[in-house]
Amino acid sequence: MKTDQLIDSLVADHAARPRPALLSVWPLAALAMLIDLALFLPTLGPRPDLLSAIGTWRFDAKLLVTGLLAAVSILLLQRLRRPQPARAISRSLKWLLLPALLLALLVGAELLMVPADLWRARAMGTNVVVCLPAITAMGLPLIPLLSEALRRGAPSRPTLSGAVAGLAAGSIAALFYASHCTSDSPLFVASWYGLAIGGLALVGALWGRFVLRW
């Protein structure tokens, strides 16, 4: 039997069995957001000028990018918790292009609007020292939590599934951090938010490789 045929049979068998509510990613994602909120409020908190920042395109854009990445990642986790043939996984992963393309467009707009001699300053921002450890610290505890639905399911690609759990954890953490951060440039978001979220995706991949294996 070919690999895809085996996976297809596992998918059919899994679909025929009742699915406990615990397997759903959404309640765990909601819990992850509550945990990050509990971590965020007493430590960082919203930026002082939050009300005036809302409605400015750079601030709203970074919330949109991180929120869209979080939503897409959670949707992917919901699919990856069940055995999937390779072609179905490839189709699902294409949804990650949405936040990536949006961020690329925002970065392009920033490069057009800002003089070249200010690009480096915008990319470095003023919050690098806080950004990386804050997103990482808020995201790390969410990886095992979001992986729980995967662990109790039957993901056919454990390393990939763990990486997506890391993406979801990182983007949820980045969404909260974005309301604290005063560096709103898309160049900063692409550089440092991207580095932090990518690091958490790598941690998630390692977690999935060793914890989510059948």
Side-chain angles (χ1 to χ4, degrees):
M1 182 182 291
K2 293 183 179 179
T3 302
D4 277 0
Q5 290 176 329
L6 174 61
I7 293 175
D8 285 338
S9 67
L10 289 172
V11 172
D13 177 65
H14 184 79
R17 288 176 288 168
R19 300 173 189 169
L22 184 59
L23 290 181
S24 177
V25 173
W26 295 105
L28 294 177
L31 180 57
M33 292 181 183
L34 289 176
I35 290 173
D36 260 8
L37 181 63
L39 292 173
F40 172 74
L41 289 177
T43 54
L44 297 172
R47 55 195 274 182
D49 64 340
L50 179 63
L51 292 180
S52 60
I54 295 173
T56 60
W57 76 267
R58 289 181 176 87
F59 178 80
D60 292 347
K62 69 179 180 178
L63 293 182
L64 179 59
V65 169
T66 52
L68 181 60
L69 179 58
V72 170
S73 300
I74 293 167
L75 282 169
L76 287 178
L77 281 180
Q78 184 74 4
R79 294 188 177 187
L80 290 171
R81 68 193 176 97
R82 299 187 299 273
Q84 299 274 344
R87 59 184 180 276
I89 291 176
S90 297
R91 287 196 301 268
S92 296
L93 289 176
K94 289 178 181 179
W95 287 101
L96 288 172
L97 291 174
L98 285 177
L101 288 174
L102 175 59
L103 182 58
L105 288 173
L106 293 169
V107 167
E110 183 80 334
L111 293 177
L112 290 174
M113 296 173 65
V114 176
D117 57 344
L118 295 180
W119 289 355
R120 185 176 184 278
R122 291 294 181 95
M124 293 303 298
T126 58
N127 294 74
V128 174
V129 176
V130 179
C131 176
L132 291 177
I135 294 176
T136 302
M138 290 194 296
L140 276 176
L142 306 187
I143 294 176
L145 175 63
L146 293 172
S147 298
E148 183 63 16
L150 297 169
R151 192 179 68 82
R152 292 176 178 266
S156 54
R157 303 292 190 278
T159 302
L160 174 62
S161 300
V164 174
L167 277 180
S171 52
I172 290 171
L175 179 60
F176 279 99
Y177 178 74
S179 66
H180 167 82
C181 179
T182 55
S183 297
D184 296 337
S185 172
L187 297 174
F188 183 87
V189 173
S191 300
W192 303 108
Y193 285 44
L195 182 60
I197 295 171
L200 287 167
L202 178 59
V203 172
L206 294 174
W207 176 272
R209 180 177 179 83
F210 295 106
V211 176
L212 300 178
R213 290 186 302 180
W214 293 12

